[in-house]
Amino acid sequence: EPEVTQTPSHQVTQMGQEVILRCVPISNHLYFYWYRQILGQKVEFLVSFYNNEISEKSEIFDDQFSVERPDGSNFTLKIRSTKLEDSAMYFCASSPGTGGIGEQFFGPGTRLTVL
Amino acid sequence: DAKTTQPPSMDCAEGRAANLPCNHSTISGNEYVYWYRQIHSQGPQYIIHGLKNNETNEMASLIITEDRKSSTLILPHATLRDTAVYYCIVRVHNNAGNMLTFGGGTRLMVKP
């Protein structure tokens, strides 16, 4: 069964450093998402991406964040200058797009630890 | 999207049915009820969705009241692996670019 994959599973970085979190969505899906979950808190939406551009973003997704689909398979989240409060699980998700049921398929997550 | 209210936690005995309630009294006519779950530290997993009719799939059943102001997710024979946080989410259907808004969910503990 196809699934969303994410790498790395755990990323440790120093405050102020740039990090790139990588995701491979399900191959025929058209919509891509990033969510995050700070330990013990709710899952929060960050951004959705369709047709090579951002379709929706939350207040969390400020200028320190960017997303990219550099090729036909990868979807990345970049944090330019990490802060302590960026420590969280980051989940990538994808959905089939129009004609589907709106179900989003989530990856296993990347745990980001900012020291 | 309409707001949902769920109990913060529930227990269920292994092998018994788990009935998880959700209130969504402000739901509008074009909004569907979706259920996801999150097993500890894993990504959320889609379970089921419905508009106004009851729905069943291999994972669960969804019962929506006639006025659509509440619903119940039923796991007919809960196993230990069903221990998770269950989220009830109301959103417009088939607008695939829409974000999911997760609340606190119900933490279901299935006990042997």
Side-chain angles (χ1 to χ4, degrees):
Chain A
E1 187 172 329
E3 57 184 20
V4 176
T5 59
Q6 292 185 243
T7 53
S9 56
H10 192 185
Q11 173 90 47
V12 181
T13 190
Q14 295 291 323
M15 189 170 57
Q17 294 298 303
E18 174 183 288
V19 295
I20 297 175
L21 309 182
R22 290 183 167 81
C23 168
V24 179
I26 294 173
S27 64
N28 60 346
H29 284 188
L30 301 178
Y31 285 85
F32 315 111
Y33 311 83
W34 284 101
Y35 292 81
R36 81 172 185 190
Q37 186 174 33
I38 296 170
L39 186 63
Q41 298 188 23
K42 300 175 185 178
V43 177
E44 301 174 291
F45 169 78
L46 293 178
V47 65
S48 60
F49 192 85
Y50 170 72
N51 200 25
N52 280 321
E53 59 183 28
I54 290 173
S55 52
E56 198 169 11
K57 62 181 181 179
S58 70
E59 292 179 353
I60 303 168
F61 194 88
D62 62 20
D63 292 344
Q64 291 299 311
F65 291 88
S66 63
V67 290
E68 191 178 28
R69 188 154 163 82
D71 53 42
S73 60
N74 291 283
F75 180 51
T76 62
L77 175 69
K78 182 193 291 186
I79 309 175
R80 289 190 181 82
S81 178
T82 50
K83 298 177 266 200
L84 295 176
E85 53 265 37
D86 293 327
S87 294
M89 280 289 286
Y90 287 80
F91 296 108
C92 173
S94 68
S95 63
T98 55
I101 60 171
E103 171 188 353
Q104 293 182 19
F105 296 79
F106 284 77
T110 292
R111 180 172 299 283
L112 176 65
T113 301
V114 182
L115 303 177
Chain B
D1 294 335
K3 182 176 167 52
T4 62
T5 305
Q6 299 177 253
S9 65
M10 291 182 64
D11 289 344
C12 177
E14 188 179 19
R16 304 297 294 269
N19 297 282
L20 295 102
C22 179
N23 286 320
H24 32 79
S25 58
T26 61
I27 192 170
S28 40
N30 63 344
E31 289 181 315
Y32 282 61
V33 180
Y34 285 76
W35 283 83
Y36 281 74
R37 73 179 181 183
Q38 186 177 25
I39 296 170
H40 180 64
S41 294
Q42 297 180 21
Q45 177 190 22
Y46 166 83
I47 302 173
I48 199 167
H49 78 284
L51 179 63
K52 55 182 178 181
N53 297 322
N54 299 337
E55 302 289 343
T56 295
N57 63 19
E58 66 277 5
M59 291 183 69
S61 294
L62 174 61
I63 309 297
I64 302 174
T65 57
E66 193 169 340
D67 63 8
R68 303 210 320 125
K69 293 184 177 183
S70 65
S71 60
T72 301
L73 179 75
I74 300 171
L75 308 178
H77 306 286
T79 71
L80 299 179
R81 286 175 294 182
D82 291 321
T83 292
V85 179
Y86 287 78
Y87 300 100
C88 170
I89 298 170
V90 170
R91 67 190 281 252
V92 175
H93 175 55
N94 218 20
N95 192 340
N98 266 5
M99 62 184 187
L100 292 170
T101 301
F102 290 85
T106 296
R107 185 173 298 277
L108 176 69
M109 181 74 71
V110 180
K111 297 183 175 180

